């Protein structure tokens, strides 16, 4: 395989780059499907898998996961529209986020989604007021709880400390009267999200147990039903040396043990796991083309046509030491890897380093490089407008065919949103 370039479902990397240009995100549906199906088989059927669009809001990625049976967790008006247009049933959508506005809440009601996950008592009130004129019936809401305990296993933990998210467990405990006073909102359950990038299945299981116990406890105390409990998720994927992907079989066994006794006590309760990174990350490759290959004070640099403007996550997540996403030489993967390169982009900042001192086969200008496991928190979580480069193209490869699912921004796209103010009276003679 030494001379052969990387293929995606039989399509050579160079063919994708030539047809769609670079920088380019390529999503492989085989990997999306394997990831989803394996997880689905391992998790108990009591758990519904919701895809967190935040990780990758591309409508085709969402639609494909939907065909596999994923529901959707959205956090903005546009994400809600995306999920609906992607064909996710309204009853399989939840909306969460700390700053929902009236338009978003009204859209949830109009669409008839499964539930709004409310993150403050004020939001519950607002939803109740909005429903005032909407004529009969109640609308389902869940309470996002900020648990009194901290998460296990997450570098970016969301519970057990002061947070803008959710309602403190203590506050929820004292909210019985406020909940009883709601006229049009029916609280149908609880939600907690403990953090992201958790690699040890045992930690996810541990968090789940605590969330289910807290939900049971709170529901009993407040006299609310448990129709739905969302246990978050936060399942990670391995990016860096020394990391391993979560053990999905162990996750399945642990979740079975945690969830089945719970659903026996609460028959019909919908248990939700919401996952973004785990479902999307491994399916995506950020493909860039080497423009210049140069040396500075003894170190080699590959300056590529795309950098952290589309892949901010590669700069490093919650770490002071730069750790590298997996990088592949797509044009000559089998070549002898004997030189260390820093992979940088077109931005005029020294921070535009996608990978630092990675060992690769020799890189020449024009070669294609791929940052792997980049299907989550890519372009939409990056400063794509920095230096006015705009968004890269996105391509889905499905059954051996490549489909453009997002056009790259053109200079005209980027300029068309600006207005040139009239300074004609300001001339200096
Ligand atoms: C970001 C987020 C998710 C998705 O997190 P991943 O780690 O990508 O799975 C799910 N739920 C909430 C509340 C989030 O903020």
């Amino acid at each position: 395989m030494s001379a052969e370039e990387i293929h995606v479902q039989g399509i050579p990397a160079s063919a994708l780059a030539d047809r769609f240009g670079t920088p380019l995100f390529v999503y492989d549906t085989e990997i999306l499907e394997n990831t989803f199906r394996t997880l689905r088989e391992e998790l108990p059927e009591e758990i519904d898998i919701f895809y967190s669009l935040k990780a990758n809001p591309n409508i085709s990625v969402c639609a494909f996961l939907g065909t596999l049976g994923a529901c959707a967790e959205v956090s903005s008006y546009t994400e809600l529209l995306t999920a609906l247009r992607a064909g996710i049933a309204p009853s399989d959508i939840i909306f969460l986020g700390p700053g929902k506005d009236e338009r978003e809440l009204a859209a949830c009601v109009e669409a008839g989604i499964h539930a709004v996950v409310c993150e403050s008592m004020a939001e519950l009130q607002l939803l109740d007021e909005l429903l005032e004129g909407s004529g009969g019936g109640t609308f389902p809401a869940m309470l996002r709880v900020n648990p009194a305990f901290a998460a296990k296993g997450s570098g970016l933990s969301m519970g057990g400390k002061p947070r803008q998210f959710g309602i403190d467990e203590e506050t929820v405990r004292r909210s019985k009267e406020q909940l009883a006073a709601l006229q049009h909102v029916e609280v149908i359950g609880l939600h907690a999200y403990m953090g992201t990038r958790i690699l040890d299945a045992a930690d996810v299981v541990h968090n789940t147990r605590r969330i289910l116990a807290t939900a049971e406890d709170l529901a009993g105390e407040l006299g609310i039903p448990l129709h739905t409990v969302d246990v978050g998720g936060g399942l990670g994927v391995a990016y860096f040396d020394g990391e391993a992907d979560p053990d999905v079989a162990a996750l399945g066994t642990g979740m079975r043990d945690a969830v089945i006794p719970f659903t026996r006590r609460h028959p019909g309760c919908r248990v939700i796991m919401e996952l973004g990174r785990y479902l999307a990350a491994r399916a995506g490759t950020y493909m860039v083309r080497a423009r210049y290959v140069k040396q500075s004070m003894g170190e080699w640099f590959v300056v590529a046509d795309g950098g952290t403007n589309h892949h901010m996550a590669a700069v490093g997540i919650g770490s002071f030491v730069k750790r590298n996403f997996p990088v592949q030489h797509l044009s000559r993967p089998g070549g002898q890897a004997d030189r260390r390169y820093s992979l940088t982009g077109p931005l005029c900042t020294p921070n535009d380093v996608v990978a630092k001192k990675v060992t690769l086969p020799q890189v020449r200008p024009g070669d294609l490089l791929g940052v792997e496991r980049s299907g989550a928190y890519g372009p939409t979580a990056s400063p794509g407008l920095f230096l006015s480069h705009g968004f890269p193209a996105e391509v889905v490869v499905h059954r051996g065919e490549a489909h453009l699912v997002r056009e790259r921004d053109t200079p005209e796209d980027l300029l068309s949103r600006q207005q040139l103010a009239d300074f004609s009276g300001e001339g200096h003679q």
Side-chain angles (χ1 to χ4, degrees):
M1 110 148 205
S2 71
E4 226 198 312
E5 63 181 307
I6 293 286
H7 290 61
V8 182
Q9 293 183 21
I11 307 175
S14 60
L16 292 169
D18 290 347
R19 179 166 162 209
F20 301 106
T22 52
L24 177 69
F25 275 82
V26 180
Y27 308 122
D28 183 338
T29 57
E30 272 178 15
I31 299 176
L32 284 173
E33 182 163 356
N34 282 337
T35 302
F36 189 88
R37 288 207 194 284
T38 307
L39 186 67
R40 184 62 282 172
E41 277 162 27
E42 296 292 346
L43 288 178
E45 61 183 14
E46 286 79 1
I47 294 181
D48 280 347
I49 302 173
F50 278 57
Y51 174 54
S52 303
L53 267 75
K54 181 179 74 181
N56 185 333
N58 187 283
I59 192 167
S60 295
V61 170
C62 179
F64 184 71
L65 287 169
T67 65
L68 302 174
C71 308
E73 177 255 297
V74 300
S75 298
S76 72
Y77 185 82
T78 306
E79 283 191 1
L80 175 60
L81 283 186
T82 306
L84 290 168
R85 289 185 194 175
I88 310 290
S91 56
D92 286 332
I93 297 176
I94 58 170
F95 194 124
L96 61 79
K100 302 177 201 78
D101 64 19
E102 295 189 10
R103 180 178 69 153
E104 290 171 330
L105 293 172
C108 291
V109 173
E110 194 185 335
I113 68 169
H114 177 67
V116 172
V117 182
C118 289
E119 306 222 11
S120 65
M121 297 311 287
E123 187 194 333
L124 264 179
Q125 295 291 341
L126 176 61
L127 182 59
D128 204 43
E129 283 159 29
L130 280 175
L131 287 159
E132 189 67 47
S134 72
T138 57
F139 192 77
M142 296 162 67
L143 301 183
R144 178 168 180 181
V145 182
N146 178 20
F149 56 89
K152 252 187 132 173
S154 173
L156 187 73
S157 81
M158 311 280 267
K161 54 172 84 169
R163 284 292 189 209
Q164 71 270 46
F165 307 111
I167 310 168
D168 285 358
E169 189 178 327
E170 272 315 304
T171 309
V172 174
R173 269 181 212 288
R174 286 186 268 106
S175 68
K176 189 165 183 171
E177 275 174 38
Q178 279 160 286
L179 298 187
L182 295 168
Q183 301 278 310
H184 314 284
V185 173
E186 189 200 355
V187 175
I188 61 159
L190 298 154
H191 166 285
Y193 174 76
M194 304 302 295
T196 189
R197 285 235 328 117
I198 305 173
L199 291 173
D200 188 340
D203 290 337
V204 174
V205 173
H206 171 90
N207 293 337
T208 300
R209 283 183 186 280
R210 295 210 57 174
I211 292 165
L212 291 175
T214 303
E216 221 163 18
D217 185 37
L218 286 173
E221 204 162 311
L222 296 168
I224 56 174
L226 280 183
H227 294 315
T228 305
V229 176
D230 184 332
V231 298
L235 204 57
V237 299
Y239 291 128
F240 309 122
D241 280 351
E243 290 185 340
D245 286 334
D247 178 341
V248 189
L251 180 75
T253 309
M255 292 301 270
R256 235 170 263 281
D257 291 347
V259 169
I260 291 175
F262 174 86
T263 48
R264 277 217 194 97
R265 289 193 297 278
H266 304 277
C269 179
R270 185 175 203 179
V271 180
I272 292 176
M273 251 185 123
E274 50 189 35
L275 300 169
R277 190 188 311 275
Y278 185 77
L279 295 180
R282 284 174 294 186
T285 299
Y286 180 41
M287 196 185 283
V288 297
R289 199 184 282 283
R291 282 205 178 125
Y292 304 98
V293 181
K294 65 186 191 185
Q295 253 184 316
S296 169
M297 300 194 181
E299 289 185 18
W300 283 97
F301 289 83
V302 175
V303 184
D305 55 5
T308 58
N309 49 321
H310 303 143
H311 203 326
M312 197 62 186
V315 170
I317 308 166
S319 166
F320 293 106
V321 187
K322 169 80 177 159
R323 297 185 294 175
N324 293 319
F325 266 58
V327 176
Q328 268 230 73
H329 197 313
L330 301 177
S331 301
R332 273 186 309 286
Q336 174 128 358
D338 53 6
R339 190 171 281 174
R340 303 221 294 168
Y341 297 96
S342 288
L343 175 59
T344 66
L347 305 184
C348 302
T349 155
N351 298 327
D352 189 18
V353 178
V354 170
K356 196 164 184 169
K357 296 186 184 171
V358 284
T359 306
L360 293 169
Q362 193 183 359
V363 181
R364 301 177 206 132
D367 284 348
L368 294 169
L369 300 176
V371 186
E372 299 181 310
R373 300 188 159 231
S374 297
Y377 303 106
T380 59
S382 302
L385 295 177
F386 202 32
L387 271 74
S388 300
H389 286 292
F391 264 69
E394 294 179 298
V395 164
V396 162
V397 180
H398 182 55
R399 299 194 178 175
E401 270 187 54
H403 306 267
L404 182 65
V405 293
R406 180 183 189 121
E407 290 176 34
R408 79 179 57 255
D409 284 346
T410 67
E412 283 311 319
D413 291 335
L414 294 161
L415 276 166
S416 67
R417 307 299 296 171
Q418 298 193 52
Q419 312 283 342
L420 181 58
D422 182 4
F423 298 119
S424 56
E426 295 291 312
H428 291 271
Q429 267 82 28

